[in-house]
Amino acid sequence: MVLQVMNSPFNQEQVELLNKLLPALTETQQIWLGGYLSAQQIAKSPIESSNTAVLEAQAIVKKVIAKEVTILVGSQTGNGQGLAEKLMKNLQTENFNVTLTSMNDFKPNALKKIDNLLLVVSTQGEGDPPDTALPFYEFLHSKRAPKLEHLQYSVLALGDSSYDLFCHTGKQFDERLLALGAKQLSPRVDCDLDFDEPAAEWFTKVLLELNDLQGSECTPTGQAADEGDASEQTEYSRTNPFTAEILENINLNGRGSNKETRHIELSLEGANLQFEPGDSLGVYPENDATLVDALIAELGWHADDSVAINKQGTFRPLREALTSNFEITVLTKPLLQKVAELTANPALQAFLASKQEQELKDYLYGRDLLDLVRDFAPWEIPAREFVPILRKIPARLYSIASSSKANPDEVHLTVGTVRYEAHGRERLGVCSGEFALRAQPGESLPIYVQRNQNFRLPDNPDTPIIMIGPGTGIAPFRSFLEEREEIGAEGKSWLFFGDQHQVTDFLYQIEWQQWLKDGVLTRMDVAFSRDTDEKIYVQHRMLEQSQALFQWLEDGAVVYVCGDEKHMAADVHATLLQILEEQGGMSPEKAADYVAELQQQKRYQRDVY
C-alpha cells in the first residue's frame, strides 16, 4: 500500500519517508509501532481515559515482545542443530517469530535487544564448549558481557553422562546468564545421549511459559521437540530411521596389519535421503547376542520376559530389548548410583561410599554391565524394574565417505574396528564389532543422515582446501574429492594422511593416487608412524611444509581436521599455531587471534571425536 499526500495529514517529505519505511517493516514491527504510537498519544490525552488506554497499548507491545524468540545453538556433531531446527519449526507453528542462529554467527552485542532467548548447546569431550560456541562463550564469560536484567532464557544442555563434566557447557551458560541478571524462563534440562524425551519435555515447559507471557493458551502434546507435523513422519530421520541394505563390507587393511578398517557401502534406494560432503551417518547397532545372553543368565532372568522400552508403555521381550534398545556395554557413575538406589545392593552401596572419584573412574573404564553384575552378585530384582534405568542404545555417528553425486542412492562409511582386552575379557566396539563380525552384504541396518553445517566445502569451488585426516579421519575427505571431481572444482587441494604402516594401512591408496594424477588432488603428504625409528605423525609433516602451508592460508585456504580429538586434533591445533608464529612472525596472542578469525570465517573446521 502506497501512502498518498491528498488523503493523509502528512506533507510530501513525510510521505516519501513513510513510503520508504513502511514496506520494509514486518507485520510484528508494524504492530509494535502502532502500540508505541498509541501509547505516546495517550500520554497526552486526558487523565481519565489514559490509564486504560495505556494499559491496552502496553499489553499489545508485551504480546509482540513475547512472540519474538531467539534460538542460539552450539553444536559439534549436529544433534543440537537438529533439535534447534525442530524447536524453531514448532514455535513457528504456534505463531512465534523465531530467529535461529549458530553461536559462531551471533553478534554478542545483540543480546541487549533480545527478550526471549533459548540456548541449545552440547559439551565437547572433557567439558569443553563446541567449536561453534567458543566466540559467544568467551564473550559471555568476559568483562565485556552486559547486564541482562531484561532477558528471559532457558537452556537445553546436551552431553554424555559417561564423562565427569556432564553437560558442563550448558551448566556454565546457565550460571553465567543468571549472574548477569537474566531470569530463567524455564529450568535448564540436561540431556544424555538418549535425549529425545527430556528434550520434548523441556520444549513443552518452554512453550507453556512463552504462551503464558502473552496470555495465550496452548495444549502441547509433549512430542513437539522431536516429531513435527504429520507430513514429516513419512520422512526418514533419527527418530524414524531407514532400513538400509548392506551392499559391500570390505577390510581395507592388508594382511599383517594391527588394524581392521571396514569400507561399508549401503543402499539408499527408495529412502529419498539427502546429504552433503561433511555430513555424518547415524547407525543404530545391536548388542552382541553372546553378551546379552550372559547378562540374562547372570541375573536369573528369562529371555522372553516382557519389559517396557519407553515411557509410552511399549513392551518388547527382554532379549530383544537388551539387543536393540538398551546400552549394556558402558558403565557410568549415574548408572551405578541408580542401580545402588534401586536394588539396595549393600556391596555396591559400600563400594560407592568408599571410593574416591579417581578410583571410581578407574573402575568404570573398560567395564560393562556384565562386569558390574558379576562383581556385585547376588542380585534379586526383576527385569521389569531394572531395565528402565538403562540408557537407550545411542546411534553411532560416522563421517560419510562418499558423494551422492558420484554414488547416487548409496552412502559409504569408513569404520575402524574397536578390539581390546580388559579385565580378563575380550571386548568389541558395539557398532564396529557388528560391522566386523555380523553385518554381511544382503543384511540391513537402521540408519539416518545427521547434518553437519559446521563441516562444509567452501561455496566457491575455486577456494583452496587443506585436509588433515589420519586413520579413519580420512573418510570425509574421500567424499570431498569425489564431490569436487564431479562438479569440476578448480581450487587447489592438499591432503595430510597418516597411519601405522604404508604397506598395510594406506587407506584408499589407489584412489588418492588417481586423483593426484588427474589433478583433483593437488598434493599429498603422508606419515606412517611405525615405518621409521622415530614415530612421525601428520603434525610433523605439517611442520616440514610450514612455509607452503602458511602461504596457502594467506591465499585463503580452508583447513579441515577430522579424527581423534584428544590427541591428534590437539597436536594439529598446536602445530598450526606454531606455524603461524614461525612463518608469520606472530606472537602467541596474535597467532591465537588469527586462528580464532579463521574459525569465525569458517576457514578452520573440525569434525573430531
Side-chain angles (χ1 to χ4, degrees):
M1 174 178 169
V2 178
L3 193 64
Q4 303 291 337
V5 175
M6 65 182 67
N7 59 1
S8 74
F10 303 106
N11 61 36
Q12 182 65 42
E13 183 180 2
Q14 290 171 327
V15 167
E16 290 176 358
L17 288 171
L18 286 170
N19 281 331
K20 288 181 181 178
L21 173 65
L22 292 176
L25 296 179
T26 65
E27 182 181 356
T28 300
Q29 290 170 329
Q30 292 176 27
I31 294 172
W32 186 93
L33 184 61
Y36 173 78
L37 293 174
S38 297
Q40 293 295 310
Q41 180 61 38
I42 290 164
K44 301 173 184 177
S45 301
I47 295 175
E48 59 269 19
S49 62
S50 67
N51 289 340
T52 301
V54 167
L55 289 174
E56 290 176 353
Q58 289 175 339
I60 292 173
V61 173
K62 183 179 178 183
K63 284 189 176 185
V64 171
I65 290 174
K67 277 292 186 183
E68 298 286 345
V69 180
T70 298
I71 304 172
L72 293 184
V73 58
S75 176
Q76 191 75 30
T77 64
N79 282 330
Q81 182 71 31
L83 282 172
E85 289 172 359
K86 291 176 183 176
L87 173 60
M88 176 181 69
K89 192 175 295 184
N90 283 282
L91 283 170
Q92 288 171 336
T93 301
E94 296 286 335
N95 297 316
F96 286 92
N97 301 303
V98 186
T99 302
L100 170 61
T101 309
S102 169
M103 291 182 182
N104 194 47
D105 298 326
F106 182 69
K107 304 300 181 186
N109 289 331
L111 274 175
K112 299 175 184 178
K113 304 174 184 177
I114 293 174
D115 292 285
N116 303 306
L117 176 65
L118 304 178
L119 275 76
V120 181
V121 64
S122 62
T123 295
Q124 180 74 2
E126 298 289 348
D128 297 322
D131 290 347
T132 56
L134 270 174
F136 181 62
Y137 174 90
E138 291 172 352
F139 171 84
L140 206 65
H141 287 81
S142 73
K143 293 180 180 179
R144 294 181 293 121
K147 292 296 182 183
L148 299 170
E149 288 93 346
H150 68 288
L151 182 69
Q152 298 188 98
Y153 76 94
S154 188
V155 177
L156 181 69
L158 305 179
D160 181 347
S161 62
S162 65
Y163 289 91
D164 287 340
L165 297 175
F166 173 57
C167 287
H168 188 60
T169 301
K171 293 174 182 176
Q172 288 180 309
F173 272 121
D174 192 20
E175 292 166 3
R176 183 58 176 161
L177 288 169
L178 282 174
L180 293 172
K183 301 175 183 63
Q184 280 190 338
L185 181 69
S186 179
R188 185 191 75 245
V189 169
D190 298 334
C191 299
D192 208 342
L193 297 178
D194 48 345
F195 53 75
D196 297 292
E197 290 179 355
E201 291 169 2
W202 173 78
F203 172 77
T204 298
K205 293 175 183 176
V206 165
L207 182 59
L208 285 169
E209 292 298 327
L210 287 172
N211 276 296
D212 186 57
L213 283 176
Q214 55 169 352
S216 300
E217 294 183 2
C218 70
T219 54
T221 65
Q223 299 298 316
D226 68 325
E227 289 198 9
D229 61 47
S231 65
E232 290 187 337
Q233 296 309 294
T234 59
E235 297 179 1
Y236 295 107
S237 63
R238 183 180 181 275
T239 53
N240 183 35
F242 174 70
T243 303
E245 181 184 352
I246 301 171
L247 302 175
E248 291 284 356
N249 184 345
I250 303 167
N251 183 8
L252 293 174
N253 298 96
R255 184 176 299 175
S257 174
N258 298 319
K259 294 186 170 185
E260 181 181 349
T261 309
R262 314 299 301 191
H263 172 76
I264 310 296
E265 298 183 4
L266 301 170
S267 171
L268 298 181
E269 187 175 357
N272 194 31
L273 284 173
Q274 309 297 319
F275 64 87
E276 298 178 55
D279 287 339
S280 296
L281 195 76
V283 180
Y284 284 106
E286 291 189 345
N287 289 310
D288 180 58
T290 303
L291 178 62
V292 170
D293 292 339
L295 185 61
I296 292 173
E298 287 286 341
L299 287 163
W301 295 338
H302 299 286
D304 56 354
D305 286 347
S306 185
V307 294
I309 61 169
N310 55 35
K311 291 183 179 180
Q312 287 72 44
T314 304
F315 286 81
R316 298 183 75 175
L318 174 62
R319 190 174 190 274
E320 188 177 329
L322 290 178
T323 299
S324 303
N325 295 96
F326 293 102
E327 184 176 64
I328 60 174
T329 57
V330 175
L331 289 184
T332 66
K333 181 180 178 181
L335 176 60
L336 262 65
Q337 292 170 332
K338 288 178 182 178
V339 172
E341 181 180 347
L342 177 68
T343 64
N345 184 303
L348 180 56
Q349 290 177 336
F351 173 80
L352 287 172
S354 66
K355 294 298 179 185
Q356 297 298 317
E357 200 65 36
Q358 187 56 50
E359 291 179 291
L360 181 58
K361 189 182 295 186
D362 292 341
Y363 177 78
L364 295 175
Y365 184 76
R367 286 186 168 89
D368 59 22
L369 189 57
L370 182 59
D371 293 308
L372 177 69
V373 166
R374 287 176 173 171
D375 290 343
F376 295 96
W379 302 85
E380 294 182 4
I381 183 169
R384 67 178 181 276
E385 295 179 19
F386 188 96
V387 169
I389 68 171
L390 300 176
R391 290 198 304 190
K392 297 287 177 59
I393 189 168
R396 270 50 175 181
L397 292 176
Y398 295 102
S399 301
I400 292 175
S402 59
S403 160
S404 60
K405 290 183 174 67
N407 304 278
D409 288 332
E410 290 184 16
V411 63
H412 300 173
L413 304 177
T414 309
V415 180
T417 304
V418 178
R419 275 195 176 93
Y420 61 99
E421 183 177 338
H423 313 295
R425 283 172 49 210
E426 291 288 336
R427 318 276 172 151
L428 267 177
V430 179
C431 197
S432 66
E434 183 174 356
F435 279 129
L437 298 180
R438 303 189 299 278
Q440 301 300 318
E443 298 180 1
S444 298
L445 293 166
I447 59 98
Y448 65 94
V449 170
Q450 177 88 316
R451 295 281 185 178
N452 187 357
Q453 300 295 340
N454 306 316
F455 204 74
R456 283 283 184 261
L457 281 168
D459 292 334
N460 184 353
D462 294 337
T463 302
I465 61 174
I466 299 169
M467 303 165 285
I468 305 163
T472 56
I474 201 70
F477 305 135
R478 183 175 182 266
S479 76
F480 278 20
L481 292 188
E482 283 191 348
E483 182 86 0
R484 283 166 76 89
E485 182 178 36
E486 289 294 317
I487 65 174
E490 296 291 336
K492 298 186 297 182
S493 57
W494 189 349
L495 176 63
F496 288 87
F497 171 72
D499 216 310
Q500 292 187 353
H501 300 284
Q502 180 170 354
V503 173
T504 58
D505 306 320
F506 199 161
L507 307 182
Y508 303 113
Q509 178 181 2
I510 295 175
E511 294 184 20
W512 309 126
Q513 291 173 337
Q514 187 63 49
W515 278 321
L516 280 167
K517 181 181 177 181
D518 296 342
V520 177
L521 180 60
T522 308
R523 61 185 298 178
M524 182 175 189
D525 285 88
V526 295
F528 294 101
S529 59
R530 307 298 170 84
D531 285 346
T532 53
D533 292 336
E534 186 176 346
K535 291 182 179 178
I536 302 295
Y537 298 106
V538 288
Q539 63 266 25
H540 299 120
R541 297 302 187 210
M542 291 172 63
L543 277 176
E544 292 172 2
Q545 304 295 334
S546 57
Q547 185 175 357
L549 257 176
F550 179 70
Q551 190 57 55
W552 277 51
L553 289 175
E554 289 291 279
D555 291 342
V558 181
V559 180
Y560 300 91
V561 181
C562 183
D564 166 59
E565 177 196 25
K566 194 170 185 180
H567 301 292
M568 182 279 297
D571 291 339
V572 165
H573 186 83
T575 301
L576 187 58
L577 291 171
Q578 182 181 345
I579 290 171
L580 292 171
E581 292 173 29
E582 294 177 355
Q583 297 298 322
M586 303 180 192
S587 66
E589 294 76 18
K590 288 289 186 183
D593 290 343
Y594 188 103
V595 170
E597 185 64 22
L598 289 179
Q599 289 178 311
Q600 190 69 33
Q601 296 173 358
K602 296 181 172 56
R603 289 181 52 212
Y604 180 33
Q605 303 182 28
R606 307 195 310 165
D607 180 10
V608 295
Y609 37 83

